Amino acid sequence: MQRRPPESVPKAKRSTPPGPAPAADRDTKLHDGAPAVWAPIVGRFRLLVVDSPAGSSSWESSGAVCSIGSADGNDLQIADETVSGFHCEIRAAVDGVRIVDLGSLNGTVVDGVHVKDAFLRNSSLIRLGASKLRFELADGGNRLLVSDRTAFGELHGHSVPMRAAFALMEKAAASDATVLLEGETGTGKGQAAEAIHRASSRADGPFVVVDCGAIPANLLESELFGHEKGAFTGAQTRRSGAFEEADGGTIFLDEIGELPLDLQPKLLRALENRHVRALGTSAYRPVDVRIIAATNRDLRGEVNQGRFRADLFFRLSVVRIVMPPVRQRPEDMEMLVRKLLRNLGAGDASLARFCDPEFVSGLSRSAWPGNVRELRNYLERCLVFEEPMPLGEHEASSPGIAAASPAATTIDPAVPYAEARQQAQEAFEAAYVRALLDAHDGRVAAAAAAAGIGRVYLYRLMRRHGIASARSDVEPS
């Protein structure tokens, strides 16, 4: 658990782009929601339930997203037991309308084809379990709510997806509502949580971070709610939990999707009643906290699979903000590269070299599965070698990339055994060291201890394979 006292959480600087209104005027309107402006227009659409045990019905969009399922809280609820609680979602964007399956049990079928993520066309037939829907484009369009800011706290971007997230963050900061931040790893969920806290009326209070995925399950309840002396073996003194320490401020529950099922009812009770009970006592203590949670999982899919409580999901997602991945905001690439390079201490010559339009354009075409974190690591390698590295090389540091595995390397029987073994060993060493450093946020000492090797030897392996250590002080969560 990471605790940050009020004095270590300064007020965020509020940055606004030039516009018709003076910047100072827009600054004072943060808590009115005034900086948000209606800008891009997306297509309006309707859904017709044409065949279902639940009967026929229809729904027409007034925004950009429609969630479909059998559970309460969906935009279009279908009372069909073959439809998952959160079955799929339809998302309108400037480039078309997509349907995304949310980990449903019976799958999503569009025009006879099982899909996970696909674009819809006018009159497409959608089958969800035993129910059939027709998708139709409607006349007119709906405007997306976006902010006129290009920065919120430490987050930067002028793309529509990023400014749409900023607009929701501004509204969240103006209230005490519970916030759920969703997004892939490396998209800046931790920075978003702290930015919301800093821009809120609780900015002078504590900002307490609990990583639900890093704390053993048998200790997590004590970390959250505290314990009394003698509550369990080793509890020699009373200890306050994160909720008590965050009193008057914000508690950030990172990786909330990792919370064990048996703890979820206790967290739900704390969210609903704003009181907590420490281990070893029957008394409840009131707490005045604002809750922000984050996950790289889609909790609706976790609800479908029975791994997350639906009632807790609803309680957490009062304001739901999805942080866009880098691949969905290519127009932000130059801004991201410039910011990351400055954080890495790059000089003017390096900035000019690595902000070259052709180089940035190449970066924009890469997938970046690790998002800003992966981009930062790649740029640091470029700085170490003082030249642009091959664009495919950064993928070796991303967990789950097949190319990083020696087993995936093509075997050439024409190569002598000793030489082939040496190549495989070098590929393994490079992939292992990169994954090890990524797992420990670039902290060499911690990585060496976890691997059971000396720090000097790890540095030697890094030099041998041209691997630079990461700097966690500028890395988003």
Side-chain angles (χ1 to χ4, degrees):
M1 183 171 68
Q2 177 185 0
R3 301 173 175 86
R4 303 186 189 180
E7 59 269 21
S8 68
V9 187
K11 296 278 190 176
K13 294 181 180 179
R14 296 173 182 171
S15 171
T16 56
D25 290 347
R26 287 196 300 275
D27 249 8
T28 61
K29 297 175 183 174
L30 174 63
H31 297 288
D32 297 28
V37 293
W38 295 96
I41 298 177
V42 297
R44 185 186 296 270
F45 61 91
R46 69 173 64 91
L47 296 167
L48 307 175
V49 180
V50 296
D51 185 9
S52 172
S56 61
S57 60
S58 63
W59 183 91
E60 185 160 334
S61 66
S62 59
V65 178
C66 172
S67 62
I68 307 171
S70 58
D72 294 336
N74 284 286
D75 298 302
L76 176 56
Q77 185 178 8
I78 302 176
D80 176 357
E81 62 182 8
T82 66
V83 174
S84 294
F86 299 96
H87 200 105
C88 64
E89 187 171 77
I90 295 180
R91 305 170 184 171
V94 292
D95 58 346
V97 182
R98 295 163 43 224
I99 185 169
V100 179
D101 184 83
L102 299 177
S104 64
L105 299 181
N106 290 319
T108 298
V109 180
V110 177
D111 295 330
V113 179
H114 279 271
V115 301
K116 290 292 185 183
D117 187 339
F119 279 98
L120 293 170
R121 57 187 177 186
N122 194 32
S123 298
S124 284
L125 286 176
I126 304 168
R127 180 163 60 83
L128 314 176
S131 297
K132 292 182 179 179
L133 296 76
R134 177 180 289 113
F135 168 83
E136 294 181 351
L137 295 173
D139 294 334
N142 295 314
R143 295 181 181 272
L144 293 179
L145 180 64
V146 298
S147 173
D148 66 351
R149 298 177 183 274
T150 58
F152 193 87
E154 293 300 313
L155 296 169
H156 295 74
H158 52 71
S159 63
V160 169
M162 206 62 190
R163 289 192 296 124
F166 290 165
L168 293 175
M169 291 165 63
E170 288 166 358
K171 290 186 174 296
S175 73
D176 266 353
T178 302
V179 177
L180 177 63
L181 295 162
E182 293 183 318
E184 300 174 6
T185 182
T187 51
K189 298 184 293 294
Q191 289 180 328
E194 191 160 359
I196 292 171
H197 169 76
R198 288 181 174 183
S200 74
S201 60
R202 294 177 175 266
D204 292 330
F207 180 75
V208 179
V209 181
V210 179
D211 189 338
C212 300
I215 301 172
N218 61 328
L219 298 178
L220 189 53
E221 184 174 1
S222 173
E223 289 288 336
L224 288 171
F225 308 124
H227 64 254
E228 294 294 326
K229 181 180 179 181
F232 51 84
T233 303
Q236 299 179 357
T237 60
R238 180 186 182 277
R239 180 182 179 184
S240 298
F243 272 85
E244 284 187 80
E245 296 216 354
D247 193 47
T250 301
I251 182 170
F252 175 43
L253 304 176
D254 200 7
E255 300 301 342
I256 190 67
E258 308 299 325
L259 191 71
L261 268 172
D262 60 339
L263 267 183
Q264 292 179 22
K266 298 176 182 180
L267 176 59
L268 178 63
R269 188 180 304 114
L271 293 176
E272 290 182 335
N273 302 321
R274 291 300 196 272
H275 62 214
V276 296
R277 180 171 64 86
L279 290 173
T281 181
S282 58
Y284 283 90
R285 295 185 178 90
V287 289
D288 174 23
V289 295
R290 198 266 180 81
I291 296 96
I292 302 177
T295 179
N296 58 12
R297 302 185 181 192
D298 191 323
L299 292 187
R300 294 169 298 181
E302 297 297 297
V303 170
N304 290 338
Q305 299 296 325
R307 294 190 290 261
F308 204 85
R309 293 176 59 109
D311 49 4
L312 179 56
F313 168 74
F314 289 130
R315 194 65 189 83
L316 288 170
S317 58
V318 176
V319 178
R320 179 171 166 261
I321 304 174
V322 179
M323 302 301 295
V326 169
R327 63 181 174 276
Q328 291 181 5
R329 39 188 292 228
E331 55 267 57
D332 289 340
M333 182 59 72
E334 183 183 0
M335 179 184 289
L336 284 173
V337 169
R338 192 173 297 276
K339 173 178 177 286
L340 290 171
L341 288 172
R342 289 195 182 280
N343 287 340
L344 290 167
D348 292 341
S350 295
L351 281 170
R353 185 175 204 175
F354 297 120
C355 291
D356 176 77
E358 185 175 350
F359 178 69
V360 171
S361 177
L363 298 181
S364 300
R365 293 191 295 270
S366 189
W368 302 108
N371 292 292
V372 179
R373 179 181 293 117
E374 183 181 6
L375 175 62
R376 195 284 315 274
N377 290 345
Y378 169 76
L379 291 173
E380 187 165 13
R381 283 197 291 277
C382 291
L383 288 176
V384 169
F385 289 96
E386 299 181 342
E387 63 179 358
M389 302 300 292
L391 265 178
E393 186 168 314
H394 68 278
E395 295 177 355
S397 64
S398 302
I401 302 298
S405 172
T409 303
T410 301
I411 302 298
D412 184 0
V415 177
Y417 172 79
E419 183 179 342
R421 183 177 63 178
Q422 180 67 23
Q423 291 174 355
Q425 180 178 340
E426 289 178 358
F428 163 78
E429 284 182 356
Y432 181 86
V433 170
R434 289 189 176 106
L436 180 66
L437 290 170
D438 281 349
H440 295 277
D441 295 327
R443 298 190 299 272
V444 176
I453 60 178
R455 185 170 54 180
V456 173
Y457 181 67
L458 179 54
Y459 272 118
R460 188 181 304 143
L461 290 176
M462 291 165 60
R463 285 195 299 270
R464 179 186 302 167
H465 299 287
I467 299 170
S469 63
R471 286 172 49 177
S472 59
D473 57 328
V474 297
E475 177 176 294
S477 297

